[in-house]
Amino acid sequence: MLKRLSVGKRQKGQGIVEYALLLAFILGIAIAMQGSGIDNAIANTFARVAHALGVETEQDRWAIADINSIIDDKESAAGRLKSDQDFLKNIGRYFIDNNFTREQIQTMLGTSNNSNVLLGNFIENNDGTTYFSNELRGDGSVPETGELFNWATGAAAGTQYDTSRRYLVSDYALHNIQSTTNIKGQNVVTGNGIKIMGITYDGNGKDAKVKSIRIAVNPNTGKTGEGYSRSDLDVTVNR
């Protein structure tokens, strides 16, 4: 019995070491590939492995901490902004990496418009819980963007939305995520709306593939202030 326990402990310890080495390897590749587009996918993998190990990442801490305490943490502002920019880039990569055609995208979004298309809203309740909602179409249906948060985080399809977490953590997003709570002396009246601001295709027909896509947060209505602006969360992803 003792021998079996000893072997079990040794195997568990070995597994933890292997996971740690894997994390270090993934991190090294992510740093080397930064700016290539591949780095976001690697970072997503890193986050998932860390989560599986029960390791709290900065994103985990930002996801549940008090909003005002995060905003006061100026040293984390640049990291939080990059986290949100990567979040938007991942949405763009979802469309491009799947080689969606003009027809597929128009069917998914329920519109032929190539700009100012609302994909959904991230909103935080007064009790700290959050939710994601799709925009209703004119006929009462909704666009096929119900898993946008999974596209943005690299989570597997079908992963349930976690209402205990916030998904956007930059100063601009935090000043706009709640509908009624007073944040730094301002009564916020909007959520974080994710919009497609422009799509280009490699041709003119219905089978033309998406070539580039521009994604933004609250491009028309978000509050701005010292140290943050709408342009912070406005990214373009190219094939």
Side-chain angles (χ1 to χ4, degrees), residues 91 109 117-120 132 134-135 143 145 148 194-196 215:
I91 296 173
L109 302 181
V117 179
L118 182 62
L119 299 176
F132 172 75
N134 312 47
E135 183 73 358
T145 57
L148 180 136
I194 310 295
K195 284 190 172 183
I196 291 178
I215 310 284

Side-chain angles (χ1 to χ4, degrees), residues 8-197:
K9 288 181 179 179
R10 185 165 61 250
Q11 290 174 338
K12 182 177 180 181
Q14 181 179 353
I16 292 174
V17 171
E18 290 172 349
Y19 270 124
L21 290 173
L22 175 61
L23 286 173
F25 177 69
I26 292 172
L27 180 60
I29 295 177
I31 293 172
M33 300 298 293
Q34 189 169 10
S36 67
I38 299 175
D39 57 323
N40 284 346
I42 295 173
N44 291 336
T45 302
F46 178 87
R48 290 199 297 273
V49 173
H51 181 72
L53 287 173
V55 177
E56 184 181 60
T57 64
E58 286 186 318
Q59 284 77 9
D60 291 328
R61 181 173 61 83
W62 298 331
I64 60 175
D66 173 72
I67 286 181
N68 288 318
S69 68
I70 302 176
I71 292 174
D72 288 338
D73 181 11
K74 302 302 181 185
E75 291 185 359
S76 70
R80 289 186 284 108
L81 176 58
K82 183 181 184 305
S83 176
D84 283 4
Q85 290 170 339
D86 289 344
F87 186 92
L88 297 180
K89 289 176 183 177
N90 286 339
I91 296 173
R93 291 243 59 92
Y94 175 80
F95 287 89
I96 289 177
D97 291 348
N98 280 287
N99 288 313
F100 287 135
T101 65
R102 185 193 307 271
E103 183 177 42
Q104 288 174 318
I105 290 178
Q106 289 179 352
T107 298
M108 179 189 300
L109 302 181
T111 179
S112 59
N113 292 338
N114 289 327
S115 63
N116 215 36
V117 179
L118 182 62
L119 299 176
N121 291 283
F122 289 90
I123 300 175
E124 184 164 336
N125 299 312
N126 291 335
D127 63 2
T129 60
T130 69
Y131 66 94
F132 172 75
S133 66
N134 312 47
E135 183 73 358
L136 284 174
R137 295 173 178 153
D139 61 2
S141 61
V142 296
E144 299 168 14
T145 57
E147 291 204 16
L148 180 136
F149 51 90
N150 286 334
W151 308 345
T153 60
T159 300
Q160 295 297 307
Y161 183 91
D162 187 347
T163 60
S164 69
R165 300 170 62 92
R166 67 178 62 91
Y167 285 71
L168 294 161
V169 294
S170 64
D171 283 351
Y172 178 74
L174 294 177
H175 277 86
N176 287 283
I177 198 171
Q178 293 183 306
S179 57
T180 58
T181 297
N182 184 288
I183 300 177
K184 297 300 179 182
Q186 293 183 335
N187 288 317
V188 177
V189 295
T190 64
N192 281 315
I194 310 295
K195 284 190 172 183
I196 291 178
M197 300 306 296

Side-chain angles (χ1 to χ4, degrees), residues 88-89 92 96 198 200 211-215 234-238:
L88 297 180
K89 289 176 183 177
I96 289 177
T200 64
K211 183 178 179 182
S212 71
I213 185 165
R214 178 184 163 206
I215 310 284
D234 189 329
V235 306
T236 298
V237 180
N238 301 296

